[in-house]
Structures are given as C-alpha cells and as structure tokens.
Amino acid sequence: EAQVTQNPRYLITVTGKKLTVTCSQNMNHEYMSWYRQDPGLGLRQIYYSMNVEVTDKGDVPEGYKVSRKEKRNFPLILESPSPNQTSLYFCASSFGPFTGELFFGEGSRLTVL
Amino acid sequence: DQQVKQNSPSLSVQEGRISILNCDYTNSMFDYFLWYKKYPAEGPTFLISISSIKDKNEDGRFTVFLNKSAKHLSLHIVPSQPGDSAVYFCAASDEDYQLIWGAGTKLIIKP
C-alpha cells in the first residue's frame, strides 16, 4: 500500500530534550516536505527536499533540522524543543512539487512542556 | 501576511444541498490551485485542482471555479453527503513551485 509513515504519532516532551520525528515513504517520490499545522494558520512549510542530499528552508525553519540521506526517509529533528513548537506536524511527499499533489502522513502531535 | 485566505472557519450545510467553500488569494503569480480534504486524526488528501489557464474543473460531485480577476476560487460540492464533513484546505502554487495554504474551513453536513 502506497503510504507516508510518520513516527511517533503522539509525543509529550520537555523543553530542551532533543527529539526526532521520522518520516518514510514507499512511493519512490523525489520530493518530501514537513509542515506544521496550527489553529487559524493552516499548514506552514518547515523544510522541503527536492531529492537526496538536497534540502531547503520553508517558511518556518527556525528550531528545526532535517536530513535526506536516502530517498525514502526525511526525518525532522528538534535539537532543543521549546513550547512554541507544540504543534501538529505532517510529512508529505510527491514525485515533484510541480503537480502539487502531495501525499501526507497521518500527522504527529507534539507537545513541549 | 497570508497570501491565501479562507475567511469562513466553518460552514454548515444540509445533506443533499450544495456546499460552497471559498478561497481568496493575493499573489497574481499563483498559477495552480488545489483543494485538500482532511478528516480528524488523518493527513490531508488531495481532492481537486485547477490551473490558472482554466476557470472551471469538474470531478464528479466536486467542481472548482477560478476567477482570476477577483483572485478568488471556490469549491462546490453537489449534492453534499455526510462523508463530506471534514476540514477543507485551499492551496496555491507559487513561482517556486511551493504550496501556500489557507487556514481551512470546517464543513459540517447536517442530516
């Protein structure tokens, strides 16, 4: 089954404790992206990757890191989480950004205390 | 400053009637527009799209209309069904091929 898998789905952590949210897709997509969803703001892009070893900042990259060592994986790293990073995070992939038809994971709800 | 705006946070429609969801944008360089649907505890899923060279695109019960002069697009769902209850996001593709998203409209279909 074609899918984008994120883990963990839910996480409560404390300020400053490094965490990684994993994202994996099995559709051989070149393009992958991370979004955060906050009430009243819709989806805001954090980082995206056009292909392996190619990553770029989105609209809200501060406090986040990503890597793209393999085509299928695109982890999101919070080196020192803060309460303002409490949010719902989505990973997405597609064959390219041009079609705009993104496939999303189910989301990871992160709470930073 | 939000470039894509969905001014109605929620909309309630009777089952069987038409649902109309609206979206306004400010950037005249947007050339591709999409609608996504999101159920609780799931990621958004693609619904329908339209290129800026068209003014209408239809797929079954779903039709998207684009009015470039007004920088406005709308999604029509006819007839509305209970399974259409969800949050609908409008998104636009900019010159860098990145998607800019609206805040979403929660559609509630009443029986």
Side-chain angles (χ1 to χ4, degrees):
Chain A
E1 180 189 352
Q3 59 186 2
V4 178
T5 304
Q6 296 178 226
N7 279 297
R9 294 288 313 279
Y10 302 92
L11 179 64
I12 299 174
T13 189
V14 295
T15 299
K17 186 175 181 183
K18 180 180 178 180
L19 69 92
T20 299
V21 186
T22 63
C23 174
S24 181
Q25 50 93 4
N26 62 0
M27 295 169 278
N28 202 35
H29 285 164
E30 293 182 345
Y31 180 87
M32 297 186 74
S33 180
W34 276 102
Y35 290 91
R36 59 179 288 173
Q37 184 190 359
D38 301 291
L41 295 177
L43 291 163
R44 292 182 295 168
Q45 191 175 53
I46 303 170
Y47 270 94
Y48 65 96
S49 170
M50 302 281 274
N51 213 326
V52 176
E53 301 293 1
V54 180
T55 62
D56 281 294
K57 294 178 180 179
D59 299 318
V60 289
E62 294 79 19
Y64 305 94
K65 286 174 57 176
V66 293
S67 68
R68 188 91 183 272
K69 293 184 172 56
E70 308 165 277
K71 198 171 189 178
R72 62 183 292 125
N73 295 322
F74 191 44
L76 179 69
I77 303 155
L78 286 73
E79 292 273 1
S80 183
S82 61
N84 65 11
Q85 292 179 297
T86 293
S87 188
L88 179 58
Y89 291 87
F90 289 101
C91 179
S93 72
S94 73
F95 284 110
F98 314 106
T99 68
E101 295 178 24
L102 291 167
F103 293 81
F104 282 85
E106 293 182 308
S108 297
R109 185 166 290 282
L110 171 65
T111 301
V112 184
L113 301 175
Chain B
D1 182 34
Q2 285 188 300
Q3 297 187 67
V4 176
K5 294 181 181 177
Q6 293 177 256
N7 292 316
S8 299
S10 66
L11 175 68
S12 187
V13 174
Q14 200 78 32
E15 182 179 355
R17 299 286 183 101
I18 182 171
S19 294
I20 301 176
L21 296 100
N22 294 304
C23 180
D24 296 296
Y25 62 95
T26 56
N27 188 344
S28 58
M29 297 301 291
F30 287 151
D31 59 1
Y32 198 69
F33 302 88
L34 307 96
W35 285 95
Y36 280 76
K37 177 179 180 179
K38 184 184 179 302
Y39 292 119
E42 295 183 11
T45 55
F46 171 74
L47 189 57
I48 192 168
S49 63
I50 187 167
S51 165
S52 61
I53 62 173
K54 296 186 175 181
D55 55 17
K56 177 183 173 181
N57 188 26
E58 203 169 343
D59 183 1
R61 297 186 297 114
F62 302 91
T63 303
V64 57
F65 295 92
L66 176 63
N67 182 334
K68 282 186 293 183
S69 60
K71 294 192 179 72
H72 176 83
L73 68 156
S74 59
L75 173 69
H76 293 211
I77 306 173
V78 182
S80 300
Q81 298 175 354
D84 296 330
S85 293
V87 176
Y88 290 79
F89 290 99
C90 163
S93 177
D94 68 11
E95 51 267 36
D96 295 322
Y97 303 107
Q98 300 307 313
L99 287 181
I100 311 300
W101 296 76
T105 296
K106 183 176 184 178
L107 176 64
I108 301 163
I109 305 300
K110 300 179 295 185

